[in-house]
Amino acid sequence: MAKWTPKHEAPEPLEGPVVATITGGTILWFVLFLVQIPFYSWFADRDLMWWVWTCLAGGGLGLIGIWYVRGRDAAIKRAQAAEASQADADAGAAAGDEGN
């Protein structure tokens, strides 16, 4: 069997409002959990408690996700600022060399 090789490069990953998306999803999980609390006994009687705990787990994992994507977003912005300042320094050094 021949080894598969890609015919073209993979596209760049899409960047969007990641922090807002994760925050919205986390809020949704917590809202679903809170909506189910009044029906706790109904879920318990039908052995469906996993629905309640899944929503709570989704909210908890969403909090970890918010922490992660905020840190990632900050790191991306720091890297872009460092690149921009390095490019400015390189341009200034090149302009200084031309004057001599």
Side-chain angles (χ1 to χ4, degrees):
M1 189 169 235
K3 183 179 176 184
W4 179 82
T5 56
K7 293 185 169 96
H8 58 278
E9 288 187 33
E12 290 292 319
L14 295 175
E15 291 293 332
V18 180
V19 176
T21 302
I22 301 300
T23 302
T26 302
I27 290 169
L28 183 63
W29 279 115
F30 278 123
V31 166
L32 289 171
F33 172 72
L34 293 174
V35 166
Q36 291 177 355
I37 293 296
F39 304 102
Y40 188 86
S41 62
W42 185 89
F43 286 109
D45 292 344
R46 289 159 181 78
D47 197 29
L48 296 173
M49 289 303 300
W50 65 271
W51 285 31
V52 177
W53 302 122
T54 298
C55 292
L56 185 60
L61 290 172
L63 291 175
I64 295 170
I66 291 169
W67 170 77
Y68 179 81
V69 297
R70 288 185 67 189
R72 178 183 177 271
D73 194 43
I76 290 171
K77 287 179 182 173
R78 280 193 308 269
Q80 289 172 344
E83 275 183 22
S85 66
Q86 184 63 37
D88 290 343
D90 291 345
D97 290 343
E98 288 176 5
N100 291 331

